[in-house]
């Protein structure tokens, strides 16, 4: 009933006193976001690894480890002598797939229970936007590194209560609407118009997240950073990040003027699709620009900001591992792409965690990218990787 009344606010002005009651009930007394579970969990068979008495790093001393994969970037093979591609699933030691390895898909491809795989059980708590939101807010309520987010399908009255409270307090009310299962900015909307937010649900499910209205700017433009994070073990956590990160920049100077909110090249940073101009900034160039731009504020990237990013990454994965102990499996490894943005106080925020990220730029900037990843995850060789603690 309350959800229906909220959606009808577009046509009939539901009294704000009603949402004040919602605000008091949830925020001041017993705030607990709805915990939704719409995304099917990946489960991984528990068969024994092949050559159980020989870890992969020992087996690699006798022969190359065989990798079966649908990742096109691996078609040129590896530069190291430890791995080789195979099309015979029955002989594979490692299955590295960008497609979700459901039980049905495993059987179709012929992947055996003895294979090591590049996906964690229950990783949906990280990679599905809706489930990630529930994992964070359902456990923490509010977070220093994740902006307030609502599932409009189940929390519309709660969101509207927050919207009206922000309005009453004179706080910024810009929000970004995200479809739970789309990427690359598709069907995303930035607005401070409540009626538009409500009506956005007509095009499908939406998450509504507080927009970072004061983003840190690089030469006047909004930017975020793509970090490659690898999980070797969940319990105890063994996390690594790749030595490089990737800078993604908007093409136009940032503004919150009303007529700019529809301008993709002002408010979004993913420009390597759709024929847009891509600003190519290497990580070491970024650090130099950052340190020069913020020297007057006494802020340095490696001393003041990078430690915050690494601490946040550890907290994100620790939260997931503690919430879902089932994620721990000795045959599973994983690689994720984390998108991180900063506000003008240099606080980092995670935008999303991506399953099977597009690693085209990684290989372009570092041709030995996959050698470092595979050596680290399967052979305990950390060259090119940075351990997170």
């Amino acid at each position: 009933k309350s959800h229906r009344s909220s959606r009808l606010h577009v046509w009939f002005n539901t009294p704000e006193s009603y949402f004040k009651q919602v605000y008091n009930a949830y925020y001041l007394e017993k705030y607990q976001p709805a915990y939704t579970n719409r995304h099917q969990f990946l489960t991984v068979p528990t068969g024994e690894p092949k050559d159980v008495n020989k870890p992969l790093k020992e087996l690699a001393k006798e022969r190359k480890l065989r990798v079966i994969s649908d990742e096109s970037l691996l078609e040129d093979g590896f530069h190291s002598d430890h791995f080789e591609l195979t099309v015979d699933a029955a002989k594979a030691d490692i299955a590295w797939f960008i497609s979700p390895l459901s039980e049905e898909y495993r059987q179709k491809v012929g992947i055996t229970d003895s294979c090591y795989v590049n996906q964690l059980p229950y990783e949906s708590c990280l990679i599905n936007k809706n489930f990630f939101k529930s994992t964070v807010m359902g456990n923490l309520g509010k977070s220093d590194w994740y902006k307030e987010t609502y599932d409009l399908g189940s929390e519309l009255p709660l969101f509207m209560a927050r919207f009206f409270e922000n309005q009453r307090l004179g706080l910024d009310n810009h929000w970004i609407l995200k479809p739970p299962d789309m990427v690359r900015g598709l069907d995303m909307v930035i607005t401070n118009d409540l009626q538009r937010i409500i009506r956005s649900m007509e095009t499908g499910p939406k998450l509504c997240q507080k927009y970072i209205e004061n983003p840190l700017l690089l030469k006047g433009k909004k930017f975020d950073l793509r970090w490659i994070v690898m999980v070797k073990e969940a319990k105890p956590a063994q996390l690594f990040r790749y030595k490089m990160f990737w800078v993604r920049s908007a093409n136009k100077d940032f503004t919150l003027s009303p007529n700019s909110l529809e301008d993709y090249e002002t408010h979004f940073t993913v420009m390597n699709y759709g024929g847009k101009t891509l600003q190519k900034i290497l990580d070491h160039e970024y650090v130099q620009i950052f340190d020069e731009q913020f020297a007057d504020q006494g802020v340095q990237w490696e001393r003041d900001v990078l430690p915050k990013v690494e601490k946040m990454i550890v907290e994100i994965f620790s939260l997931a591992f503690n919430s879902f102990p089932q994620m721990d499996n000795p045959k599973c490894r994983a690689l994720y792409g984390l998108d991180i943005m900063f506000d003008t106080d240099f606080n980092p925020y995670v935008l999303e965690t991506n399953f099977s990220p597009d690693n085209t730029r990684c290989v372009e900037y570092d041709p030995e990218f996959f050698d470092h990843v595979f050596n680290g995850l399967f052979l305990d060789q950390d060259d090119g990787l940075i351990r997170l603690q």
Side-chain angles (χ1 to χ4, degrees), residues 252-297:
K252 298 181 180 179
D253 287 352
F254 179 78
T255 174
L256 269 180
S257 63
N259 60 356
S260 79
L261 299 181
E262 302 286 344
D263 190 343
Y264 183 93
E265 295 189 67
T266 296
H267 289 277
F268 292 90
T269 62
V270 180
M271 299 296 167
N272 46 327
Y273 306 99
K276 298 178 177 63
T277 301
L278 176 65
Q279 307 288 336
K280 187 174 180 178
I281 306 173
L282 300 179
D283 58 344
H284 66 275
E285 296 173 337
Y286 162 82
V287 173
Q288 181 178 353
I289 295 171
F290 185 100
D291 287 348
E292 291 176 356
Q293 182 172 324
F294 299 108
D296 291 345
Q297 295 175 247

Side-chain angles (χ1 to χ4, degrees), residues 378-389:
F378 299 106
L379 299 181
D380 297 334
Q381 298 176 10
D382 299 345
D383 181 43
L385 310 183
I386 297 174
R387 183 182 293 269
L388 300 175
Q389 300 181 17

